[in-house]
Amino acid sequence: MPKTAIYPGTFDPITFGHIDVIKKSLKIVDKLIVATTDNIEKDYLFSLDERIEILNKSLFNDLRLSKNKIKIISFDDLTVKICKKYKASIIIRGLRAVSDFEYEFQMVGMNRSLDAKIETVFLMADVQHQAVASRLVKEIAILKGDISKFVSGNVSNEVHKKLKLLNSKD
């Protein structure tokens, strides 16, 4: 049976750190579901539909990754329920720093309590991408800095287009 994994996140926007985790995931699973969601504790630059579009452009146009191996979805349910829906036995989580681990450790415990058959696999982005965070990319872009080292071309264009639109409303 093919191994399927879910890589959940907000991806607001997707960065080279996320992409590195996606590429590493594809080495250990047959199918990867990249699942974006809204977290009530976060303030988003992009709507859920916009993030789906940006994920598609970044992964399939910019990077030319395989649509046969990657599916992009949005969800508003428990990750373990999404795993069941897509017959995924693995949740992929990216780690950037030790500070991420405490939160992730709690999530593993909760998910394990909800469904003991689902494993969580932690992957770290390569060193040059470990400090990259969507929040920081947005901050750099707001301050008119160059974000091309952190995101793909389509993502950079979408971030700048969105900020220009938001600034024109002020």
Side-chain angles (χ1 to χ4, degrees):
M1 175 180 281
K3 280 231 184 289
T4 301
I6 302 285
Y7 180 28
T10 54
F11 307 107
D12 185 47
I14 186 169
T15 69
F16 285 143
H18 296 123
I19 290 166
D20 202 37
V21 169
I22 288 169
K23 287 178 177 179
K24 287 178 179 180
S25 299
L26 292 173
K27 292 177 182 177
I28 59 174
V29 300
D30 302 303
K31 180 90 173 170
L32 182 65
I33 312 294
V34 178
T36 185
T37 188
D38 282 336
N39 178 330
I40 56 172
E41 297 173 8
K42 291 192 176 184
D43 187 23
Y44 294 98
L45 180 60
F46 296 103
S47 70
L48 204 50
D49 289 340
E50 289 171 324
R51 281 182 272 141
I52 292 285
E53 184 179 332
I54 292 167
L55 282 163
N56 274 296
K57 285 180 182 177
S58 181
L59 297 178
F60 303 130
N61 295 354
D62 290 343
L63 301 165
R64 305 218 181 280
L65 296 178
S66 172
K67 287 185 179 182
N68 294 330
K69 293 195 70 132
I70 300 171
K71 180 176 182 67
I72 298 169
I73 64 163
S74 62
F75 73 105
D76 63 356
D77 210 340
L78 293 170
T79 304
V80 293
K81 286 186 179 180
I82 299 305
C83 287
K84 282 182 185 174
K85 179 178 178 177
Y86 289 95
K87 297 176 177 56
S89 58
I90 301 167
I91 297 171
I92 301 287
R93 297 299 295 166
L95 286 177
R96 285 186 303 247
V98 175
S99 57
D100 290 343
F101 185 76
E102 189 172 333
Y103 169 78
E104 295 296 345
F105 183 76
Q106 288 178 310
M107 289 300 296
V108 169
M110 296 302 287
N111 285 333
R112 197 83 163 135
S113 295
L114 293 169
D115 191 332
K117 290 178 266 174
I118 298 172
E119 294 293 338
T120 299
V121 174
F122 294 105
L123 296 173
M124 292 186 73
D126 285 340
V127 174
Q128 70 268 26
H129 302 302
Q130 284 179 7
V132 178
S134 297
R135 174 184 52 81
L136 297 174
V137 169
K138 289 184 281 192
E139 191 173 316
I140 291 166
I142 288 167
L143 296 171
K144 303 200 181 341
D146 179 12
I147 61 171
S148 65
K149 295 176 190 162
F150 312 114
V151 297
S152 69
N154 271 306
V155 174
S156 180
N157 291 339
E158 293 296 328
V159 169
H160 290 298
K161 191 171 19 172
K162 178 62 102 171
L163 290 176
K164 189 174 182 180
L165 177 70
L166 292 174
N167 288 333
S168 71
K169 291 180 180 181
D170 291 341

